[in-house]
Amino acid sequence: MPPPSDIVKVAIEWPKEFPRLMEIDQKKPLSSIIKEVCDGWSLGNYDSFALQHADGTNFYITEKNRNEIKNGAILRLTSSPAHTALQLHEKIQSSSMDAKLEALKDLANSSRDITFAQEFINLDGISLLTQMVESGTDFGDMLSFTLTAFVELMDHGIVSWDTFSVPFIKKIAGYVTKSSGDTAVLQRSLAILESMVLNSHDLYQKVAQEITIGQLIPHIKGGEQDIQTYTIALINAIFLKAPEEKRQLDLQGNVNILDCPLTEMANILAQKSLRHEILTNVIRSNKTIKPEMSHQLYVLQVLTFNLLEDRMMTKMDPQDQAQRDIIFELRRIAFDVESEPNNSGSIEKRKSMYTRDYKKLGFINHVNPAVDFTQTPPGMLALDNMLYFAKHHQDAYIRIVLENSSREDKHECPFGRSSIELTKMLCEILKVGELPSETCPDFHPMFFTHDRSFEEFFCICIQLLNKTWKEMRATSEDFNKVMQVVREQIMRALTTKPNSLDQFKGKLQNLSYTEILKIRQSERMNQEDFQSRPIIELREKIQPEIMELIKQQRLNRLCEGTCFRKISSRRRQDKFWYCRLSPNHKVLHYGDLEESPQGEVPHETLQEKLPVADMKSIVTGKECPHMKEKGALKQNKEVLELAFSIVYDSEEYLNFIAPDKNEYCIWTDGLNALLGREMASDLTKSDLDTLLNMEMKLRLLDLENIPIPEAPPPIPKEPSNYDFVYDCN
């Protein structure tokens, strides 16, 4: 007979004693269990003791988390969190340097546990740590452990970030601006500044007065990728939280920009100093770019492009002479005409000449082209792109305009209209104006290779559009079809992640309209669903075999395991945990990690276990408890799509946020397979379709070029006699 579900069998350790095997009744108060354990070793004053997980986490067991104790768990009897916090609070003020260092080391480890953190904070421990930092008497490991403990304590969200003084901020900023120093201290200091900026507007302003972007650039030049990642994360935080009217960034290190209009931010961010260092020392370095670095580069890319939003949403004022002068400049460059004096010819003649030229330039409104730029998006951004193209790629600009003006009206590719629609399309592709995702690592190296990357991107694409128009022999009625083909060409080229704009241009050269047609035809053939009954019956017969193959692949991937990130709303620093299925498919092993692993993590090192037999169901998205908690946060849309939870005994949850959509599908499929439920993810549908089509083609190879009838051939009538049968006997 199985033991009651409320009884948990565990081993409990106590220093210098043999571990005791005990049955813990989860219905009993925790204090009674601790008293029973203390009595077993003849220990008095049981109020000063507590139970703790003996695995790598060393987290205290409380009434809230006691349900996480599993059969076979190893626990440790130890000092209570209040008693430990008091001891460490006293020891870190010790006059003995060795005792102080050991206490700070223990504090840094213990502070990860929220139970201990609450007790230490109640002793005004945060103030003590800030005073120690402000005093400036600690260096090396001692300072590193102090800052580590501070970061861990603040990460629990118990204390507000608004409570810190200017001297403390100056001290932390000083560790960052030092030309040389301890790497661990620098890393913690960067993390603290990032959290300050992200969590408090007042602290953002104080940090911005102490740190300029130019002072951060030397850390990007350094060879250690973790420091580079924290540095770029701090730059992103400063950039993300800066008010629109007052963004304090100093990418060159020469000027402290206190009042920088949003419209000028793109130029500042694109300055060679920052961009060049990131390109040289991060993107083009010999080291593999880690996922967190990829994410920070993606965030920087998104924030940079979001600076275009102001121009994208600004309508042109048809009465604004300065804006109209830009259109005059486009006309002047294209047709090599100088501004005519006011008295040259009649007004009607000049208007007629302007109208003719504006028609050649491809504007929809030939009389007043300014009206074309009143639609948002793309607003004034389209006109900015056109002027950049005309000035920096003048030969290509003139050639496109003159080529089209010499064609018949119906075959003309209207440059003005094309530029406006193309700019709008590029903003959609690059998601200009949207907040960066919490997890996406999808950055494009080519956008870090030029000071004006968006404008250059436009220049390449507008020439592609003109080329595709000619290849399609399009007319004005085909405008939308051409734009769809161009979008496909751009998207296919971007998916290859070209390293430079020249590589991107080369990819587009290989994606001509003819090539796109071939790709589409090939995809149609691959996706073609034969409708004849024999084919349908064969597919239905094969499908269970293919589904079993997909199921085995999913379970094998779960056995390999995945590293998941713990996402905190308070800071972006990495906290990892790993989960994998046992080879016999009976237990999920999981546990926290200090850093992202380079390969598989052995299941023996993962302390926590969840028997598959205890799993009840899988919930996803908004149904997950950890998503309900994060509902008020911004930037949550993509995280919501990657969230899932395992529901097990007594409505307990094991919560996940997948690193990407592919892992999300693999894990939800695998877990549903373990529960004997349908695997219904998009990836399963795609894999099933691909594998079925491949298997069908292999089985039908011998029938190539033989038409398959819709219905089986008729069964012939019975013969009148069976005289043709020969009896061999």
Side-chain angles (χ1 to χ4, degrees), residues 45-64:
N45 193 21
Y46 67 88
D47 288 339
S48 62
F49 291 96
L51 289 175
Q52 195 179 50
H53 287 284
D55 58 15
T57 62
N58 296 328
F59 285 173
Y60 283 99
I61 293 165
T62 64
E63 292 290 354
K64 288 183 179 179

Side-chain angles (χ1 to χ4, degrees), residues 72-307:
I74 301 175
L75 309 182
R76 180 188 299 120
L77 184 66
T78 186
S79 298
S80 68
H83 188 255
T84 305
L86 185 61
Q87 280 186 327
L88 291 178
H89 192 273
E90 292 171 354
K91 285 181 181 178
I92 61 176
Q93 300 177 72
S94 168
S95 56
S96 166
M97 289 296 103
D98 290 340
K100 185 176 180 180
L101 178 62
E102 195 61 33
L104 285 169
K105 184 178 179 181
D106 291 342
L107 178 63
N109 289 326
S110 301
S111 296
R112 292 179 299 159
D113 184 355
I114 191 169
T115 309
F116 169 85
Q118 184 69 69
E119 296 293 344
F120 189 77
I121 288 168
N122 290 343
L123 296 172
D124 209 14
I126 293 283
S127 296
L128 177 59
L129 293 178
T130 55
Q131 288 167 16
M132 290 168 63
V133 172
E134 287 173 21
S135 69
T137 55
D138 295 335
F139 301 97
D141 287 344
M142 200 170 289
L143 179 59
S144 173
F145 288 135
T146 304
L147 295 178
T148 301
F150 176 84
V151 168
E152 294 292 350
L153 291 167
M154 291 303 298
D155 194 36
H156 296 297
I158 300 169
V159 178
S160 168
W161 283 92
D162 287 310
T163 57
F164 298 107
S165 64
V166 172
F168 178 72
I169 297 168
K170 284 180 179 289
K171 207 72 185 175
I172 298 295
Y175 299 137
V176 171
T177 55
K178 274 184 182 177
S179 57
S180 62
D182 186 273
T183 302
V185 170
L186 174 59
Q187 186 171 313
R188 303 296 183 275
S189 300
L190 287 166
I192 292 168
L193 291 178
E194 183 197 358
S195 294
M196 285 179 173
V197 170
L198 289 175
N199 289 283
S200 168
H201 178 68
D202 289 341
L203 287 186
Y204 153 73
Q205 292 179 322
K206 292 171 183 174
V207 170
Q209 289 170 2
E210 300 298 327
I211 296 278
T212 61
I213 303 300
Q215 291 170 318
L216 296 175
I217 288 175
H219 301 314
I220 296 174
K221 291 180 181 179
E224 199 166 322
Q225 191 172 125
D226 286 342
I227 296 296
Q228 293 173 330
T229 303
Y230 278 87
T231 303
I232 296 175
L234 177 55
I235 291 171
N236 288 336
I238 293 172
F239 188 21
L240 186 63
K241 291 299 178 180
E244 290 188 7
E245 72 281 359
K246 195 173 188 180
R247 295 203 167 191
Q248 182 168 340
L249 284 178
D250 178 13
L251 304 195
Q252 292 275 6
N254 302 323
V255 183
N256 203 13
I257 304 160
L258 290 172
D259 294 286
C260 177
L262 182 60
T263 52
E264 295 176 16
M265 288 299 297
N267 293 331
I268 297 165
L269 263 184
Q271 293 296 336
K272 288 182 181 178
S273 188
L274 176 63
R275 180 189 62 76
H276 177 73
E277 296 304 338
I278 291 175
L279 181 66
T280 305
N281 298 294
V282 179
I283 297 172
R284 290 183 176 170
S285 70
N286 296 325
K287 298 175 184 175
T288 303
I289 296 179
K290 295 178 183 177
E292 178 60 17
M293 174 59 88
S294 295
H295 174 75
Q296 294 300 340
L297 292 173
Y298 152 79
V299 172
L300 183 60
Q301 173 186 295
V302 170
L303 294 176
T304 305
F305 284 139
N306 280 357
L307 293 169

Side-chain angles (χ1 to χ4, degrees), residues 323-514:
Q323 294 178 357
R324 290 168 62 87
D325 285 345
I326 299 175
I327 298 175
F328 293 151
E329 182 67 5
L330 290 173
R331 173 177 174 265
R332 185 193 67 75
I333 295 172
F335 305 114
D336 196 24
V337 293
E338 298 298 330
S339 299
E340 298 88 353
N342 290 333
N343 58 359
S344 63
S346 65
I347 295 174
E348 289 76 13
K349 184 178 178 182
R350 288 208 307 277
K351 279 186 177 179
S352 174
M353 190 163 47
Y354 287 157
T355 301
R356 181 197 68 208
D357 289 348
Y358 291 149
K359 184 180 179 183
K360 289 180 181 179
L361 280 169
F363 290 112
I364 298 171
N365 191 316
H366 306 151
V367 177
N368 185 6
V371 176
D372 289 10
F373 299 97
T374 55
Q375 176 194 357
T376 57
M380 287 295 292
L381 184 59
L383 188 58
D384 295 342
N385 284 339
M386 291 168 71
L387 183 63
Y388 182 90
F389 181 51
K391 285 188 170 181
H392 294 83
H393 299 270
Q394 197 170 109
D395 291 344
Y397 167 69
I398 293 170
R399 176 175 52 77
I400 287 175
V401 173
L402 295 183
E403 262 184 21
N404 287 297
S405 61
S406 62
R407 291 180 189 154
E408 293 179 51
D409 284 353
K410 68 175 185 176
H411 285 290
E412 176 189 4
C413 176
F415 174 73
R417 182 186 175 192
S418 299
S419 298
I420 292 168
E421 290 300 320
L422 179 64
T423 301
K424 183 178 178 181
M425 180 200 294
L426 298 183
C427 289
E428 290 171 359
I429 290 171
L430 298 176
K431 299 182 179 179
V432 175
E434 294 185 21
L435 285 170
S437 156
E438 286 264 9
T439 55
C440 180
D442 190 23
F443 80 98
H444 293 279
M446 72 177 191
F447 292 127
F448 291 85
T449 63
H450 200 281
D451 297 340
R452 304 286 293 274
S453 58
F454 184 80
E455 289 87 344
E456 288 293 324
F457 185 44
F458 168 84
C459 293
I460 293 169
C461 294
I462 193 66
Q463 294 177 73
L464 167 72
L465 193 154
N466 190 63
K467 173 174 168 284
T468 303
W469 184 283
K470 288 189 287 186
E471 290 172 349
M472 292 178 68
R473 298 179 182 175
T475 63
S476 53
E477 289 81 12
D478 300 321
F479 185 86
N480 290 334
K481 290 180 183 177
V482 176
M483 294 304 293
Q484 287 172 7
V485 173
V486 169
R487 187 186 190 98
E488 186 173 345
Q489 290 170 313
I490 294 169
M491 292 300 291
R492 287 185 182 277
L494 283 176
T495 54
T496 64
K497 294 289 180 72
N499 290 320
S500 67
L501 290 163
D502 286 337
Q503 276 191 22
F504 175 68
K505 194 185 294 184
K507 299 285 183 187
L508 292 176
Q509 290 292 334
N510 297 328
L511 286 169
S512 63
Y513 176 57
T514 307

Side-chain angles (χ1 to χ4, degrees), residues 452-710:
R452 304 286 293 274
S453 58
F454 184 80
E455 289 87 344
E456 288 293 324
F457 185 44
F458 168 84
C459 293
I460 293 169
C461 294
I462 193 66
Q463 294 177 73
L464 167 72
L465 193 154
N466 190 63
K467 173 174 168 284
T468 303
W469 184 283
K470 288 189 287 186
E471 290 172 349
M472 292 178 68
R473 298 179 182 175
T475 63
S476 53
E477 289 81 12
D478 300 321
F479 185 86
N480 290 334
K481 290 180 183 177
V482 176
M483 294 304 293
Q484 287 172 7
V485 173
V486 169
R487 187 186 190 98
E488 186 173 345
Q489 290 170 313
I490 294 169
M491 292 300 291
R492 287 185 182 277
L494 283 176
T495 54
T496 64
K497 294 289 180 72
N499 290 320
S500 67
L501 290 163
D502 286 337
Q503 276 191 22
F504 175 68
K505 194 185 294 184
K507 299 285 183 187
L508 292 176
Q509 290 292 334
N510 297 328
L511 286 169
S512 63
Y513 176 57
T514 307
E515 186 62 27
I516 290 292
L517 286 179
K518 287 180 183 176
I519 293 170
R520 286 179 174 179
Q521 180 67 19
S522 173
E523 288 177 351
R524 268 197 299 270
M525 289 177 67
N526 290 336
Q527 295 169 2
E528 190 173 14
D529 187 15
F530 301 109
Q531 295 302 316
S532 64
R533 191 185 302 169
I535 300 297
I536 292 172
E537 287 177 0
L538 181 57
R539 285 177 69 91
E540 288 173 353
K541 184 179 178 182
I542 296 171
Q543 187 164 325
E545 183 184 327
I546 301 295
M547 285 301 292
E548 183 61 28
L549 186 66
I550 294 171
K551 176 183 172 182
Q552 290 305 317
Q553 187 271 341
R554 299 294 192 264
L555 294 176
N556 288 341
R557 281 287 288 103
L558 263 62
C559 289
E560 291 173 13
T562 300
C563 179
F564 297 93
R565 180 188 283 117
K566 291 183 175 181
I567 293 183
S568 165
S569 62
R570 295 176 288 281
R571 60 187 179 97
R572 270 222 50 90
Q573 275 37 288
D574 284 349
K575 284 197 169 184
F576 298 102
W577 69 288
Y578 200 89
C579 186
R580 63 180 297 178
L581 181 65
S582 62
N584 63 4
H585 300 174
K586 291 186 177 180
V587 179
L588 279 175
H589 298 268
Y590 63 96
D592 291 340
L593 301 176
E594 290 299 322
E595 57 183 6
S596 180
Q598 297 303 312
E600 288 184 24
V601 176
H603 63 264
E604 297 86 0
T605 64
L606 302 172
Q607 301 297 326
E608 302 291 334
K609 295 179 182 178
L610 172 59
V612 172
D614 291 349
M615 289 166 45
K616 305 297 183 189
S617 63
I618 309 298
V619 294
T620 60
K622 292 180 181 178
E623 300 302 315
C624 299
H626 57 317
M627 288 297 101
K628 291 174 183 175
E629 294 167 10
K630 293 169 67 66
L633 297 176
K634 293 182 179 179
Q635 308 179 26
N636 249 14
K637 183 181 176 184
E638 291 195 33
V639 176
L640 200 64
E641 294 174 354
L642 299 174
F644 61 97
S645 299
I646 298 174
V647 185
Y648 58 97
D649 287 347
S650 306
E651 294 301 307
E652 293 293 321
Y653 295 87
L654 182 61
N655 299 319
F656 298 76
I657 295 177
D660 53 50
K661 191 68 178 175
N662 190 65
E663 288 293 327
Y664 170 84
C665 292
I666 285 170
W667 273 85
T668 51
D669 283 343
L671 294 171
N672 279 317
L674 288 172
L675 292 171
R677 296 177 185 172
E678 182 187 359
M679 299 184 295
S681 74
D682 293 339
L683 185 62
T684 292
K685 292 172 186 174
S686 172
D687 287 350
L688 177 63
D689 192 48
T690 302
L691 293 171
L692 261 179
N693 285 337
M694 288 171 64
E695 185 65 21
M696 290 293 294
K697 286 178 180 179
L698 286 170
R699 295 198 181 197
L700 297 175
L701 274 176
D702 293 337
L703 297 178
E704 195 171 358
N705 298 324
I706 298 175
I708 299 171
E710 289 292 326

